[in-house]
Amino acid sequence: MPDSYHRLLPTLAALPAPRPGTRIDLPPLHGSADAFALAQLAGRGRMLLVVCAHPLDAQRLQDELKWVAPALRTHLLPDWETLPYDSFSPHQDLISERLATLYALSRGESDIVLVPASTALYRMAPPAFLAAYTFFLKQGDALNVDGLRKQLALAGYEHVTQVVRPGEFSVRGGLIDLYPMGAALPLRIDLFDDEIESIKTFDPDTQRTVYPVPEIRMLPAREFPLDEAGRAHFRSRFRETFEGDPSRVPLYKDVTNGIAPAGIEYFLPLFFDDTATLFDYLPDDTVVVLHHDVPAAIDEFWRDTQSRHKLLSGDRTRPVLPPTTLFLGQEDFFTALQDKPRVRILAPDPTSPDINAARPLPPIAVERKAADPLHPLKTQLLGAWTDAGGRVLVLAESAGRRETMSDYFAEYGLHPAPATDLDGFLASDAKFALTVGPLMGGFVLPEVRLAIITEAELYAATARTRTRRDQRKAATMEGWLRDLSELSAGDPVVHVSHGIGRYMGLIHMDLGEGETEFLHLEYASGDKLYVPVSQLHVITRYAGADPEAVSLHKLGSGHWEKARKKAALQIRDTAAELLALYAQRAARPGHRFDFKQHDLEAFAEGFGFETTPDQQAAIDAVVTDMRTGRPMDRLVCGDVGFGKTEIALRAAFVAVADGKQVAILTPTTLLAEQHYQTFADRFADWPIKVAEISRFKSAKEQGEALQLLADGKVDIIIGTHRLLQKDVRFKRLGLVIIDEEHRFGVRQKEAMKTLRSEVDILTLTATPIPRTLGLALEGLREFSVIATPPQKRLSIKTFVQRYSKGVVREAVLREFKRGGQVYFLHNEVDTIDNMRDALAELIPEARIAIGHGQLPERELERVMRDFTQQRDNLLLCTTIIETGIDIPTANTIIINRADRFGLAQLHQLRGRVGRSHHQAYAYLLTDAHAKPTVLAQKRLDAITAMED
């Protein structure tokens, strides 16, 4: 670790190292200064076990330490990400990471180990188990294949035809594929007779080898033994622990048959005579750091655990162990720490008199409406502070944000020096610099005259009381009338032959064939129409403007027929326009894009993932289309999260590399904002100007962007329907990208095409509408499909249940326990505040934010930024999140009244989670007291049956 890190906290450096059995308290540390403190403590040569009060702190510190002190070996012991006594098992990737961390601990091969307090309480397999089931394979060693099979089976590895995840192996003649627990990639052994000739890693998606390695470390595949001896021990201990006939317990029978049932981890003590704790894996001189209020976190965990044990202990088909058998109590936890040297990092205290501690930054938030928005920053830190020898480092969240902030600073007369990283800044003479860093909070170090600022302080907009705009009830019946079963007396309906009338209720009449039920409809002039319930198919809900003021048709007047003919004529006109446009595009030559292949390859290296075969095929097809000289019109269809945006990025690069402008049309403001950040990040190191037009931007900002666009100084413009207005002018438009095209009307989509009949069109969608799909299948449009999921993308566990407080609380707490975030979708703005109050009472642990389309622009922007930065952990929202929102830490979505949504909407909404390698959960909740309609139930069944 560079020496410069040690000089940042001189007060800490002067503190003596804690002796065994003693504890020292560090002064309060604000912002992310705790990461610097841990780096200094670890630099003294002893392993640190950092017990964090919250999982989010452990994850944050892991990311920050990699940036502050990349030379340190930092490990995280992840949680199982399940609730105590859960019927779910942890994902295999988590078990892999846990075993790798425990092995590193037992060998002293770590400098800092981070663990949430609740995870540190779990009893686990003794170190002897890990040692007994771990073995090595080295290049040049002799190998008995049959013996290896048996050894792998004993260690819990599964034999498969193709290796794709940790804990699997495959034998194919002289080739053996293994995916060891704790390994980043699977490995392939090439045998020459019975000798290991070579060992190479390979990509599980492409099956291509990557690089050679000299040896393989094989850890056990589980945290408990499931071999014959382990199963016998389990059966014996199970009979000793629980009363009754064990053969009636499905879990007991599964283990007897060698099957690991879901949730078996909460019976782990039955596989061993004695369990161990995390402290049994630590070297004797390990320093234990208690980060913030660990005792309170342990108390909260035990309250929840005891409550769940009491709730579940009456189930004879799945008995549960006492909490003390599975977890350490608070007294036992601190008793285990008695002989360890300990350090306590206190929670930040704004009233701390210690002037040498890391202090909070002064108020420096951007004042958007001020003549000089950066005035607070200039006066609070860049004036007297730098004049007196102080230094300021500003951290952007990404490369794209760095470029955006640099332009923003320059606009108001500030010119920060570029810095590669923290150490580069400390080694330079710059007083004010800008770089990219993952710190969550800024701070001031008075001793060394250093201030570190993050975007959290610079753009810390304060929450305002939500002021409803002057709005009449302009919402139509479409917002709440989802099915004829929900009709109320007085609601307007449409009869296929007679037009618009009002539904007045159900009546019974006897027309000579027995009593029959009729719908009573009332038309203009008091005309009445009675429709038998057997003819419900001729009645549809009214979806026009203001249902209260709807004009009713008069029976027999012919008005309805005239309206139908006029609509049909407009439909034919639109079809003729489409036909003419496609004919015009086919007849005219397009632009033949010319670019350097090595430039495209250099840009592609910025993609942090391996492209899937389908994704690469789509990219190749798009690039080929753009090179042909014929106007491209390609539809790319791929599931949510399958990588359609990367195809858009490559296409945009090809267009801009040849001097053309690119327009990207999105259906929502949030999606436009997210695309802007993504494109700005990827093009940050290229001389390409990206701009955004949406309601997140002020009128002044939009006007400036449009002027630059017309002058040809903006290369890529991203926006919503605003891009379709007449004042948007392009100088050299070459490519239009339409994202989530099913959210636009026909005329909206074709308006962009008519800007230039020879413009190239790239359309992206997860749920193509029939018209678009028909054009593609008929050959009028080119068609690419991305059907291969990204590497490590897990299927989303989807549940359809009636709304209940227990289901909601358990789902939310399961996500919070792993430091994640939750979407709670309640699609009624009028009652969303009531739902917030109910959730706050049900889940006091939640930090709830509300987001919907009727919020003022700046407040919605603040809400989404705070949720993205994990200041809030539950977003109570409407369908505004339906498209494009990509927050990897949010992996649980709860959809209230899911029976009111269409199949495409449910599919899109469910796709907001599962965007990382964590197991994702989607809860589709229906009315607590009534069954969903037959049609709604079919939609719910269909969405759960889809292979994600």
Side-chain angles (χ1 to χ4, degrees):
M1 185 171 64
D3 293 338
S4 56
Y5 295 115
H6 293 283
R7 300 196 300 268
L8 293 181
L9 290 169
T11 301
L12 175 60
L15 289 174
R19 298 187 305 276
T22 66
R23 188 191 79 193
I24 63 172
D25 291 345
L26 299 187
L29 300 168
H30 291 269
S32 295
D34 49 2
F36 289 81
L38 292 175
Q40 286 202 8
L41 289 172
R44 296 183 176 186
R46 287 196 283 178
M47 182 190 294
L48 298 186
L49 173 70
V50 185
V51 182
C52 300
H54 303 288
L56 193 60
D57 285 329
Q59 294 170 7
R60 170 182 67 83
L61 288 170
Q62 183 185 34
D63 294 336
E64 293 178 346
L65 282 165
K66 289 179 180 177
W67 184 76
V68 171
L72 288 177
R73 297 169 297 176
T74 302
H75 291 84
L76 171 69
L77 183 67
D79 194 81
W80 279 342
E81 298 188 356
T82 55
L83 294 174
Y85 305 110
D86 216 333
S87 56
F88 294 116
S89 281
H91 191 267
Q92 196 73 350
D93 286 348
L94 291 171
I95 300 298
S96 176
E97 187 177 355
R98 284 173 59 88
L99 289 169
T101 298
L102 291 175
Y103 183 82
L105 276 176
S106 65
R107 298 289 298 265
E109 297 173 352
S110 182
D111 298 311
I112 300 178
V113 179
L114 302 158
V115 57
S118 58
T119 307
L121 300 179
Y122 279 65
R123 298 185 186 274
M124 54 186 63
F129 164 76
L130 198 60
Y133 288 87
T134 299
F135 60 96
F136 292 83
L137 300 171
K138 297 181 180 180
Q139 185 176 353
D141 285 355
L143 182 66
N144 184 302
V145 176
D146 291 336
L148 177 64
R149 285 176 184 268
K150 294 178 181 177
Q151 197 168 11
L152 289 171
L154 287 175
Y157 283 75
E158 181 182 0
H159 188 274
V160 295
T161 55
Q162 182 173 319
V163 171
V164 294
R165 67 174 190 166
E168 296 178 340
F169 75 99
S170 174
V171 179
R172 302 190 307 275
L175 291 178
I176 302 174
D177 289 348
L178 303 164
Y179 206 146
M181 302 297 284
L185 288 171
L187 298 109
R188 179 165 293 153
I189 297 176
D190 194 351
L191 295 177
F192 180 74
D193 196 12
D194 62 349
E195 180 183 327
I196 299 177
E197 184 176 35
S198 67
I199 304 175
K200 296 179 181 178
T201 61
F202 68 92
D203 188 309
D205 287 330
T206 64
Q207 296 291 305
R208 294 177 180 174
T209 56
V210 182
Y211 54 84
V213 295
E215 68 175 10
I216 304 175
R217 181 194 66 197
M218 299 297 299
L219 297 172
R222 300 186 182 90
E223 295 186 50
F224 54 89
L226 204 59
D227 54 14
E228 182 54 43
R231 297 199 303 272
H233 200 283
F234 174 87
R235 292 195 298 269
S236 174
R237 290 289 308 278
F238 191 97
R239 291 192 295 269
E240 293 173 4
T241 305
F242 301 113
E243 297 179 354
D245 183 3
S247 63
R248 296 186 176 182
V249 179
L251 181 138
Y252 179 89
K253 292 190 289 185
D254 286 342
V255 174
T256 301
N257 294 325
I259 300 170
I264 185 62
E265 289 73 20
Y266 289 99
F267 295 85
L268 182 143
L270 302 184
F271 288 94
F272 304 100
D273 290 323
D274 296 296
T275 54
T277 67
L278 176 61
F279 305 105
D280 294 319
Y281 285 84
L282 301 175
D284 293 336
D285 62 346
T286 300
V287 177
V288 178
V289 180
L290 302 178
H291 186 271
H292 295 175
D293 199 352
V294 171
I298 294 176
D299 279 343
E300 181 182 353
F301 172 81
W302 267 95
R303 282 196 303 272
D304 289 342
T305 300
Q306 289 171 332
S307 174
R308 286 183 60 80
H309 178 264
K310 183 178 180 180
L311 179 67
L312 300 172
S313 57
D315 188 355
R316 292 184 176 273
T317 62
R318 190 182 176 92
V320 292
L321 292 169
T324 52
T325 306
L326 286 167
F327 313 105
L328 287 174
Q330 185 169 114
E331 184 177 347
D332 294 332
F333 177 81
F334 285 103
T335 299
L337 296 182
Q338 276 185 347
D339 298 330
K340 300 286 184 185
R342 303 184 301 281
V343 175
R344 185 172 66 167
I345 298 180
L346 300 173
D349 181 7
T351 64
S352 171
D354 190 345
I355 61 172
N356 294 324
R359 295 194 308 210
L361 289 162
I364 57 171
V366 168
E367 297 177 352
R368 293 183 182 273
K369 295 184 178 180
D372 184 357
L374 298 176
H375 180 73
L377 173 64
K378 293 177 180 178
T379 56
Q380 295 287 350
L381 281 179
L382 297 181
W385 173 264
T386 53
D387 291 342
R391 307 177 70 191
V392 176
L393 177 64
V394 179
L395 300 181
E397 295 174 355
S398 63
R401 292 293 301 162
R402 179 194 65 203
E403 298 305 309
T404 301
M405 291 171 67
S406 180
D407 292 343
Y408 194 63
F409 285 153
E411 184 178 351
Y412 294 98
L414 295 179
H415 301 281
T420 54
D421 53 24
L422 175 65
D423 197 50
F425 167 70
L426 295 175
S428 71
D429 297 328
K431 288 191 173 183
F432 177 42
L434 174 64
T435 190
V436 177
L439 300 192
M440 291 290 289
F443 51 90
V444 175
L445 301 176
E447 278 188 302
V448 294
R449 307 289 294 171
L450 174 65
I452 294 182
I453 303 171
T454 70
E455 292 193 49
E457 294 83 31
L458 203 58
Y459 297 104
T462 55
R464 301 191 301 274
T465 303
R466 177 157 50 95
T467 56
R468 292 185 181 273
R469 298 173 178 176
D470 183 17
Q471 51 180 309
R472 296 180 179 178
K473 195 75 174 178
T476 65
M477 301 286 281
E478 184 73 24
W480 57 273
L481 180 55
R482 299 292 179 182
D483 198 279
L484 286 173
S485 64
E486 295 179 294
L487 280 173
S488 301
D491 293 341
V493 295
V494 181
H495 190 288
V496 67
S497 301
H498 303 289
I500 301 172
R502 285 196 184 277
Y503 169 72
M504 304 306 293
L506 293 172
I507 64 171
H508 294 80
M509 294 190 296
D510 190 346
L511 301 181
E513 298 180 359
E515 194 171 78
T516 306
E517 196 171 31
F518 292 82
L519 276 76
H520 175 195
L521 306 184
E522 187 174 284
Y523 284 80
S525 303
D527 294 347
K528 294 180 176 59
L529 180 68
Y530 299 100
V531 181
V533 292
S534 60
Q535 296 181 20
L536 275 179
H537 61 278
V538 302
I539 305 294
T540 58
R541 61 193 179 192
Y542 172 75
D546 197 354
E548 298 299 324
V550 64
S551 178
L552 304 182
H553 288 110
K554 183 174 177 59
L555 292 179
S557 66
H559 291 161
W560 175 241
E561 280 300 318
K562 291 179 182 178
R564 291 180 63 182
K565 290 179 180 178
K566 184 177 179 181
L569 183 62
Q570 290 176 338
I571 292 172
R572 287 196 294 271
D573 287 345
T574 301
E577 289 175 17
L578 282 175
L579 186 60
L581 177 60
Y582 279 106
Q584 187 180 31
R585 287 171 54 81
R588 290 191 181 182
H591 180 76
R592 189 187 300 273
F593 288 91
D594 186 24
F595 60 93
K596 296 179 180 178
Q597 183 64 31
H598 66 81
D599 285 343
L600 180 59
E601 292 171 357
F603 175 76
E605 289 177 359
F607 185 48
F609 307 93
E610 186 77 24
T611 56
T612 63
D614 293 347
Q615 195 180 23
Q616 188 60 52
I619 291 170
D620 295 340
V622 168
V623 173
T624 301
D625 286 351
M626 297 178 73
R627 276 178 157 166
T628 59
R630 181 171 55 86
M632 176 178 71
D633 191 4
R634 179 169 290 274
L635 171 67
V636 176
C637 182
D639 208 345
V640 287
F642 276 31
K644 298 186 294 295
T645 303
E646 180 62 21
I647 298 171
L649 283 161
R650 306 277 179 97
F653 180 86
V654 170
V656 175
D658 198 28
K660 292 293 185 178
Q661 291 174 305
V662 179
I664 302 171
L665 183 62
T666 67
T668 65
T669 303
L670 292 181
L671 182 53
E673 176 73 9
Q674 184 149 311
H675 272 334
Y676 173 71
Q677 296 299 337
T678 301
F679 276 71
D681 286 346
R682 288 296 300 278
F683 289 105
D685 297 325
W686 296 83
I688 294 172
K689 177 72 173 176
V690 183
E692 175 194 6
I693 294 182
S694 72
R695 67 187 183 101
F696 278 175
K697 301 297 181 182
S698 65
K700 178 184 176 183
E701 291 171 327
Q702 291 190 40
E704 291 174 351
L706 289 177
Q707 185 58 52
L708 292 173
L709 182 69
D711 294 340
K713 295 179 180 178
V714 166
D715 301 298
I716 301 174
I717 187 78
I718 302 170
T720 56
H721 306 76
R722 178 71 177 83
L723 284 178
L724 303 178
Q725 296 180 9
K726 294 181 179 179
D727 62 336
V728 179
R729 293 178 292 110
F730 298 88
K731 186 172 184 179
R732 51 181 189 279
L733 180 63
L735 173 66
V736 174
I737 299 173
I738 304 173
D739 197 8
E740 303 295 349
E741 61 93 32
H742 64 282
R743 296 290 300 275
F744 296 99
V746 173
R747 290 186 175 274
Q748 290 171 330
K749 286 179 287 190
E750 303 311 325
M752 284 300 280
K753 297 180 182 181
T754 55
L755 290 175
R756 294 282 180 85
S757 60
E758 67 273 12
V759 74
D760 279 28
I761 304 293
L762 177 62
T763 304
L764 311 175
T765 185
T767 51
I769 59 178
R771 182 187 69 85
T772 300
L773 192 58
L775 290 172
L777 296 177
E778 289 291 336
L780 293 175
R781 307 181 68 175
E782 300 298 328
F783 190 38
S784 294
V785 177
I786 307 177
T788 308
Q791 184 180 359
K792 290 193 174 182
R793 181 176 172 88
L794 309 178
S795 60
I796 300 170
K797 290 186 181 295
T798 305
F799 307 93
V800 178
Q801 294 176 293
R802 289 193 178 185
Y803 181 94
S804 75
K805 292 181 178 180
V807 168
V808 172
R809 178 168 173 79
E810 181 166 307
V812 172
L813 290 183
R814 182 180 291 112
E815 187 62 47
F816 286 178
K817 188 174 185 291
R818 59 182 179 182
Q821 296 168 282
V822 175
Y823 297 113
F824 190 101
L825 196 142
H826 179 80
N827 204 34
E828 292 181 357
V829 175
D830 288 344
T831 60
I832 201 166
D833 288 327
N834 297 337
M835 179 56 74
R836 185 200 185 286
D837 295 339
L839 290 174
E841 182 180 354
L842 177 64
I843 314 163
E845 301 90 342
R847 301 186 300 276
I848 303 173
I850 294 179
H852 56 76
Q854 295 181 21
L855 287 176
E857 292 84 354
R858 294 304 181 194
E859 188 171 350
L860 180 59
E861 182 183 16
R862 178 194 61 78
V863 166
M864 294 310 300
R865 184 174 62 246
D866 287 352
F867 188 68
T868 301
Q869 294 176 348
Q870 296 181 288
R871 294 194 187 98
D872 301 313
N873 55 11
L874 190 150
L875 181 63
L876 176 59
C877 57
T878 60
T879 52
I880 193 171
I881 67 163
E882 180 180 343
T883 52
I885 302 304
D886 185 1
I887 301 177
T889 53
N891 282 296
T892 293
I893 185 168
I894 301 171
I895 303 176
N896 192 27
R897 290 310 305 269
D899 51 307
R900 294 181 172 181
F901 295 93
L903 185 61
Q905 269 190 312
L906 288 173
H907 187 54
Q908 286 282 347
L909 289 167
R910 189 178 66 159
R912 296 313 103 211
V913 296
R915 316 287 286 196
S916 69
H917 64 279
H918 290 285
Q919 179 63 64
Y921 303 95
Y923 292 83
L924 311 182
L925 303 184
T926 61
D927 192 290
H929 307 293
K931 291 183 178 180
T933 64
V934 174
L935 184 60
Q937 187 62 53
K938 286 182 178 179
R939 291 197 299 265
L940 296 174
D941 293 342
I943 197 68
T944 55
M946 284 185 181
E947 187 67 29
D948 191 88

